[in-house]
């Protein structure tokens, strides 16, 4: 049995994860429009990851006999002044999500929800990687500064991120070029 407080917090987290996917999808559009297709690709894979995160919380609720309540997604930022800005926003957003995960763990402990703890511990570890990934790209972008060659090289490097096997977010899966 999930307490009402835990139930509401888990529904909020579904929203936060789906909102993450939506925010990063907006950045995908931005980077394609700037011909930085490698960065767009990296974030496209991230959209997959965030959707899976949302589904992990969704399935946690359904497997405990609760019906998830989906909440409205908030209005998004849709444009950025420089290619560095979306990465700074992504890092700040991941720090925000880490705070939400830690808060969920606090609630779980207060509510004696031992069933949710393994899932939340998985996310505590996942957030180390999520923050590190976006922070590292921010630092690389800062190193590059205004160098067009550097930006081109990093874009090529980020194009190498691999989709999880069978990802429906891979354009090859639905035969449409990005
Ligand atoms: Fe689902 Fe990027 O945190």
């Amino acid at each position: 049995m999930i307490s009402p407080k835990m139930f509401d917090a888990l529904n909020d987290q579904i929203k936060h994860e789906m909102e993450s996917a939506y925010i990063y999808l907006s950045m995908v559009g931005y980077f394609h429009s700037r011909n930085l297709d490698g960065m767009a690709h990296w974030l496209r894979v991230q959209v997959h990851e965030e959707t899976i995160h949302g589904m992990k919380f969704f399935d946690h609720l359904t497997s405990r006999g609760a019906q998830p309540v989906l909440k409205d997604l908030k209005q998004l930022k849709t444009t950025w002044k420089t290619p560095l800005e979306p990465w700074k926003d992504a890092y700040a957003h991941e720090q925000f999500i880490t705070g939400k995960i830690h808060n969920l763990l606090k609630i779980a402990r207060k509510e004696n929800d031992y069933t949710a703890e393994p899932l939340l511990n998985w996310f505590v570890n996942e957030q180390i990687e999520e923050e590190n990934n976006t922070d590292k790209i921010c630092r690389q972008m800062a190193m590059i500064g205004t160098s067009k060659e550097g930006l081109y090289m990093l874009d090529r490097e980020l194009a190498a991120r691999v989709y999880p096997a069978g990802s429906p977010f891979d354009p090859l899966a639905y035969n449409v070029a990005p």
Side-chain angles (χ1 to χ4, degrees):
M1 181 73 183
I2 305 176
S3 74
K5 194 166 183 190
M6 194 67 207
F7 176 67
D8 195 47
L10 288 166
N11 281 313
D12 275 346
Q13 196 59 32
I14 295 172
K15 166 193 148 80
H16 292 314
E17 299 294 346
M18 291 306 183
E19 227 161 47
S20 302
Y22 216 39
I23 289 166
Y24 294 142
L25 186 58
S26 192
M27 292 176 183
V28 169
Y30 166 81
F31 280 119
H32 278 311
S33 78
R34 297 294 182 280
N35 300 310
L36 291 164
D37 293 339
M39 294 188 179
H41 166 83
W42 194 96
L43 285 158
R44 204 177 264 257
V45 178
Q46 192 61 28
V47 172
H48 172 110
E49 295 249 338
E50 300 301 351
T51 308
I52 296 297
H53 291 171
M55 291 310 294
K56 276 180 182 275
F57 285 108
F58 187 95
D59 287 336
H60 179 78
L61 288 175
T62 56
S63 66
R64 293 177 72 181
Q67 181 185 342
V69 176
L70 299 183
K71 304 189 177 188
D72 286 349
L73 303 184
K74 73 174 177 223
Q75 184 70 36
L76 298 172
K77 184 171 170 180
T78 55
T79 193
W80 293 267
K81 289 195 186 81
T82 68
L84 171 60
E85 259 188 31
W87 295 114
K88 280 187 171 173
D89 284 356
Y91 178 43
H93 184 71
E94 289 305 333
Q95 290 174 302
F96 165 78
I97 294 291
T98 299
K100 292 292 174 192
I101 298 292
H102 290 180
N103 194 48
L104 271 171
L105 195 52
K106 250 187 238 166
I107 297 170
R109 287 178 180 171
K110 207 168 163 196
E111 304 284 307
N112 295 325
D113 192 338
Y114 304 113
T115 310
E117 278 209 35
L119 175 73
L120 296 174
N121 282 326
W122 184 90
F123 273 100
V124 168
N125 283 320
E126 176 71 2
Q127 281 310 118
I128 295 172
E129 188 188 325
E130 294 285 86
E131 282 195 28
N132 185 43
N133 282 344
T134 45
D135 182 33
K136 193 188 256 183
I137 296 170
C138 282
R139 283 185 274 123
Q140 288 170 331
M141 290 290 283
M143 264 192 282
I144 286 166
T146 55
S147 160
K148 285 202 167 59
E149 292 83 358
L151 187 61
Y152 179 78
M153 293 288 286
L154 182 58
D155 188 63
R156 291 299 88 202
E157 190 184 314
L158 295 181
R161 189 177 186 187
V162 177
Y163 281 101
S167 171
F169 292 85
D170 183 349
L172 292 176
Y174 52 88
N175 203 23
V176 174

